Amino acid sequence: MTLEVGMMQCPCVSHRKKLVQAFEEGEIDFRVCTECGIAFRERFPSLSELEEIYRQAYVEEKIGSGNTNQESGGYAARSYAEFIRRSLWRTGARVLDYGAGSGALVERLRANGVEASGIEFSSDARRFCREKRGFSLMSNLDEVPNDHFDTVSMIEVVEHLTDLQGTLVQLHRVIAPDGSLLVTTPNRKGLRARIENGHWREAQKKFHLFLFDWPSLKFHLEAAGFHDLRRVVFSPVQRPGLKTLVAVRLMQALRVSGTLSVIAKRSK
């Protein structure tokens, strides 16, 4: 079924695009752009609605118990910190975690000897980081000079962005020439997403404004100026346990895991 453009426009610039309904039941407000392949909500939450979502998520008790529904948890922070240090970092390089939550990944990177900073939208999460972790997070990219960071990470963040293309262009600006952007996001073509469709848990999260597959993520990263994109097949496992490790690695090998991970480069 082809639909008229709704309240939101696809962030791609093509004039040939048409929108089709993503799901027949469940989260039926998602539309898929036939040009770039991205799925997005027809109506985004307002700024005040998003602020309330994040305010409820980032109360101290939820952060302490790992129940914010925003952050991936301590094990995932350790896994990603080790991946960044091993694969994307060199001595003296600066790392930015964009969408840093309460600062768990930044804290772990610093513990591993990495010069790391973070940016976080939620004032409650920033306050927790300042009071409990002992360092401050920035609130937006306007505070960052051009070409400043060698690596930027966006762990489960790109699907939240209200200004997708504008933010990606800004991130391209702050990354140094030949620097890298690491993006992870729920995989719209993962096994669970294919089975559950509009009832998929990632689609049901109202703060998830976009749902990506590999071609649509590649399209929008390249549109923002990134190049030499590489899909990370065996990305960090986010939960402990041998059974989890085996299951995740199998799904990754089959290209149907729940997480899509990509490394993109900025031109020299």
Side-chain angles (χ1 to χ4, degrees):
M1 174 172 55
T2 301
L3 303 173
E4 296 296 326
V5 174
M7 296 174 67
M8 295 304 301
Q9 299 280 336
C10 177
C12 82
V13 296
S14 173
H15 297 293
R16 298 176 297 171
K17 63 189 175 189
K18 294 181 180 179
L19 302 182
V20 297
Q21 189 166 327
F23 307 116
E24 294 298 324
E25 56 182 44
E27 298 298 309
I28 60 173
D29 64 323
F30 273 102
R31 305 292 182 253
V32 176
C33 174
T34 57
E35 182 65 19
C36 70
I38 198 172
F40 63 97
R41 290 194 184 275
E42 187 178 34
R43 177 191 175 276
F44 283 10
S46 67
L47 180 60
S48 61
E49 289 172 330
L50 285 173
E51 287 175 341
E52 179 61 18
I53 288 172
Y54 295 128
R55 187 194 66 77
Q56 293 182 21
Y58 285 116
V59 297
E60 184 172 333
E61 294 79 8
K62 288 185 177 181
I63 298 175
S65 64
N67 193 33
T68 65
N69 209 24
Q70 302 291 327
E71 299 183 291
S72 300
Y75 184 88
R78 291 190 294 273
S79 297
Y80 278 112
E82 178 57 27
F83 177 83
I84 291 170
R85 190 191 64 80
R86 185 180 69 249
S87 304
L88 297 171
W89 179 75
R90 63 182 185 277
T91 301
R94 291 186 290 236
V95 175
L96 172 69
D97 186 31
Y98 184 80
S102 68
L105 178 54
V106 175
E107 182 178 57
R108 180 57 56 177
L109 285 166
R110 290 182 173 193
N112 289 351
V114 177
E115 184 181 343
S117 303
I119 289 177
E120 172 53 42
F121 168 80
S122 167
S123 59
D124 295 292
R126 296 198 306 271
R127 182 172 61 251
F128 181 94
C129 184
R130 183 173 62 252
E131 294 177 356
K132 303 298 182 180
R133 303 193 195 278
F135 59 89
S136 295
L137 301 171
M138 294 177 283
S139 62
N140 60 71
L141 284 164
D142 294 339
E143 303 177 50
V144 183
N146 294 348
D147 307 336
H148 189 70
F149 289 101
D150 301 283
T151 297
V152 172
S153 60
M154 294 177 64
I155 309 301
E156 311 294 309
V157 170
V158 68
E159 65 274 11
H160 296 240
L161 300 177
T162 55
D163 181 9
L164 175 63
Q165 210 58 39
T167 303
L168 292 177
V169 169
Q170 277 278 72
L171 289 170
H172 187 275
R173 174 186 67 79
V174 305
I175 296 174
D178 204 32
S180 299
L181 173 69
L182 168 65
V183 181
T184 77
T185 189
N187 181 10
R188 184 162 61 88
K189 295 297 178 65
L191 180 61
R192 187 166 181 173
R194 291 171 185 262
I195 293 172
E196 297 178 348
N197 294 304
H199 299 289
W200 181 35
R201 64 182 181 184
E202 303 299 340
Q204 291 180 323
K205 296 175 180 178
K206 298 302 182 183
F207 44 80
H208 282 182
L209 310 180
F210 297 98
L211 300 174
F212 294 91
D213 56 10
W214 164 232
S216 59
L217 183 56
K218 182 174 183 289
F219 181 101
H220 286 280
L221 287 170
E222 290 179 338
F226 292 97
H227 72 104
D228 194 19
L229 274 68
R230 174 169 64 89
R231 183 172 179 177
V232 182
V233 177
F234 296 105
S235 59
V237 177
Q238 299 185 38
R239 295 184 302 276
L242 181 58
K243 290 183 179 180
T244 298
L245 175 63
V246 172
V248 170
R249 290 302 188 218
L250 175 60
M251 292 298 100
Q252 289 175 336
L254 296 173
R255 306 297 199 275
V256 291
S257 69
T259 300
L260 180 63
S261 300
V262 175
I263 293 174
K265 300 287 288 185
R266 181 188 158 174
S267 302
K268 294 182 179 180

